[in-house]
Amino acid sequence: MLSSIRTFFARVAELIGHAIGRVLAFIAWPFLALGRWLGGRSWIVKAPFAVVLLLLVGLYGYFLWNTQVWTNFDPDYPARYAFAQTPAPAAPPANAGQAAAPATTPVVGAEGVEGELRTCVRSGIVDATADLIDFNVNQNAWVSSNILYKVGLFGLDWDRTPFLDNKAAFQRGVNQAIRRTTVELVDALGRVRGTSQIDNNLQDARGNMQFDEYTWYFGLSPFGPKTPTPSYYRAAMRDLRSFNDRMQSCAVQFDARGDNLLQFVERIASDLGSTSAILRERSENHNGGWFDSRADDRFWFAYGQLYGYYGILTAAHHDFAAVVQNRGLTSLWQELEQQIRSSLRIQPAIISNGREDGWIMPTHLATMGFYVLRVRSNLVEIRAVLDR
């Protein structure tokens, strides 16, 4: 009996080995054929091929490095802001009027209602958003618009393979959090009222962040070459920092009102709800375990989104400190931050999309979906308190 089992597994291993060998032979065949053809040619023919080969080796080396090395990746990055030591909005007095103040002193809104406040200090939300853009496109190369990422694996989209797409999906998840925040900065946070003028810096940042994530230098455009994606995002980063510089000098304002915070929290909860639905659909309908080639990009997109919102929501706690304190939200907000940090501890080397009742292959998508829903639940609870 034991001998039969050994024979069976040996036969299975042999078949797998033959299959892998055939795949490798198929991949290597064009290169071997080209090598044989070049063997009898002169150096005039060989030289251009040598240059192209060196260029390809260099490009693929650069591509592999950028997809595998995550520079300055740190799930605890919000701690670097030291918000506890940074001036933050304080609850305004009941009958305070508007008064001039130094650039580092909060300026109370004219109506003097709870949570309504203009500040002449930098916004933590704006700084965190700009720093996330810097992390995505300067400290790391933006993978999605890399020419070799666009070419794919022999024409197959990298997102549809289990290889070299994790960092790209993570960056797009972070980018989703940035996009949502720039929209809210234009629509509410950077304005006194809905009828007030939209700030040009914030409007430009929002427009640049909406640019396609995959554009390289050339595209299907009747107007010729396109500017690549990272340059648009860098422009958005500069606009955000310019807005914060102007705000520090009291040239513009950031309204830390309760209704603005309510809307911001509500939009983030909706954004995470959409991600939760994507994770659920993949988890329920594609139980391929370790062989689900799309599970990894779904997982790392959600991870990147939470990574981005971790810094942004931690900054929101600072910017809306008066509202959080006056509405008794301190413990709820701390729990929200703890839940996001807990989700960022999940960093599997290989993403598995197994059945929820399976015992061999884990179900990382369902686990990530659980954490996304926990964070969304915390946001909904905070919104309910703000809406009272």
Side-chain angles (χ1 to χ4, degrees), residues 8 12-13 31 34 44 63 68 92 134 165 209 233 269 286 304 316 346:
F8 171 76
V12 170
F31 302 100
L34 179 61
I44 297 178
F63 175 64
Q68 299 308 303
D134 182 55
D165 61 342
M209 288 311 304
Y233 297 165
H286 305 274
I346 311 171

Side-chain angles (χ1 to χ4, degrees), residues 122-130 133 178-193 196-210 232-233 235-247 251-255 260 264 319:
R122 299 178 70 86
S123 161
I125 293 176
V126 175
D127 272 337
T129 305
I133 298 173
I178 295 169
R179 278 178 169 170
R180 168 51 53 197
T181 304
T182 55
V183 169
E184 297 309 312
L185 284 169
V186 172
D187 289 348
L189 302 182
R191 305 169 67 183
V192 182
R193 287 288 186 268
S196 63
Q197 185 176 359
I198 294 175
D199 183 83
N200 289 335
N201 280 135
L202 294 180
Q203 188 173 28
D204 289 344
R206 177 182 64 178
N208 284 322
M209 288 311 304
Q210 301 307 312
Y232 283 87
Y233 297 165
M237 178 189 69
R238 291 192 293 269
D239 286 324
L240 290 172
R241 288 181 172 162
S242 176
F243 172 84
N244 244 1
D245 291 341
R246 291 165 55 223
M247 196 175 82
V252 293
Q253 57 185 307
F254 180 98
D255 248 24
N260 279 346
F264 189 42
D319 285 356

Side-chain angles (χ1 to χ4, degrees), residues 297-321:
D297 52 279
R298 299 289 194 273
F299 177 93
W300 285 109
F301 177 88
Y303 189 101
Q305 195 175 20
L306 290 174
Y307 185 97
Y309 278 136
Y310 186 27
I312 290 168
L313 287 170
T314 301
H317 189 178
H318 165 265
D319 285 356
F320 290 90

Side-chain angles (χ1 to χ4, degrees), residues 33 39 49 76 85 101 108 110-111 182-183 220-221 223-225 234 268 272 277 282 320 337 351:
F49 280 96
D76 291 312
Q85 288 78 42
V108 179
E111 297 179 19
T182 55
V183 169
L220 299 177
S221 169
F223 307 106
R234 292 186 186 105
I268 294 176
L272 291 177
R282 194 73 197 177
F320 290 90
E337 293 171 6
I351 308 301

Side-chain angles (χ1 to χ4, degrees), residues 130-379:
D131 289 346
L132 285 169
I133 298 173
D134 182 55
F135 167 72
N136 250 0
V137 298
N138 291 331
Q139 299 172 33
N140 293 273
W142 180 257
V143 176
S144 296
S145 63
N146 183 290
I147 183 60
L148 295 182
Y149 193 85
K150 293 173 67 64
V151 169
L153 179 64
F154 295 97
L156 180 65
D157 191 340
W158 283 111
D159 286 341
R160 296 188 175 277
T161 74
F163 315 110
L164 307 181
D165 61 342
N166 290 352
K167 185 177 179 181
F170 168 79
Q171 288 179 315
R172 292 195 294 267
V174 174
N175 206 50
Q176 177 61 27
I178 295 169
R179 278 178 169 170
R180 168 51 53 197
T181 304
T182 55
V183 169
E184 297 309 312
L185 284 169
V186 172
D187 289 348
L189 302 182
R191 305 169 67 183
V192 182
R193 287 288 186 268
T195 54
S196 63
Q197 185 176 359
I198 294 175
D199 183 83
N200 289 335
N201 280 135
L202 294 180
Q203 188 173 28
D204 289 344
R206 177 182 64 178
N208 284 322
M209 288 311 304
Q210 301 307 312
F211 192 73
D212 175 68
E213 295 175 309
Y214 299 92
T215 297
W216 191 58
Y217 285 95
F218 298 95
L220 299 177
S221 169
F223 307 106
K226 292 182 179 179
T227 305
T229 293
S231 63
Y232 283 87
Y233 297 165
R234 292 186 186 105
M237 178 189 69
R238 291 192 293 269
D239 286 324
L240 290 172
R241 288 181 172 162
S242 176
F243 172 84
N244 244 1
D245 291 341
R246 291 165 55 223
M247 196 175 82
Q248 195 169 14
S249 63
C250 287
V252 293
Q253 57 185 307
F254 180 98
D255 248 24
R257 302 196 316 266
D259 58 334
N260 279 346
L261 181 59
L262 185 152
Q263 178 176 313
F264 189 42
V265 166
E266 184 176 46
R267 298 291 174 78
I268 294 176
S270 177
D271 199 19
L272 291 177
S274 175
T275 301
S276 173
I278 292 172
L279 291 172
R280 183 188 64 198
E281 187 279 331
R282 194 73 197 177
S283 178
E284 290 179 352
N285 301 324
H286 305 274
N287 302 126
W290 288 305
F291 304 101
D292 183 358
S293 62
R294 296 308 300 271
D296 55 345
D297 52 279
R298 299 289 194 273
F299 177 93
W300 285 109
F301 177 88
Y303 189 101
Q305 195 175 20
L306 290 174
Y307 185 97
Y309 278 136
Y310 186 27
I312 290 168
L313 287 170
T314 301
H317 189 178
H318 165 265
D319 285 356
F320 290 90
V323 177
V324 172
Q325 182 178 2
N326 291 339
R327 299 294 181 90
L329 287 170
T330 301
S331 60
L332 283 176
W333 208 282
Q334 289 173 345
E335 183 180 354
L336 168 66
E337 293 171 6
Q338 290 169 3
Q339 287 296 331
I340 300 178
R341 182 60 187 89
S342 296
S343 70
L344 299 181
R345 293 192 180 97
I346 311 171
Q347 300 177 27
I350 301 176
I351 308 301
S352 172
N353 181 23
R355 292 174 56 88
E356 294 183 12
D357 58 352
W359 60 279
I360 295 179
M361 297 181 184
T363 172
H364 294 130
L365 289 191
T367 303
M368 179 55 70
F370 165 78
Y371 277 106
V372 170
L373 284 177
R374 284 292 299 271
V375 172
R376 184 179 183 276
S377 177
N378 290 141
L379 290 168

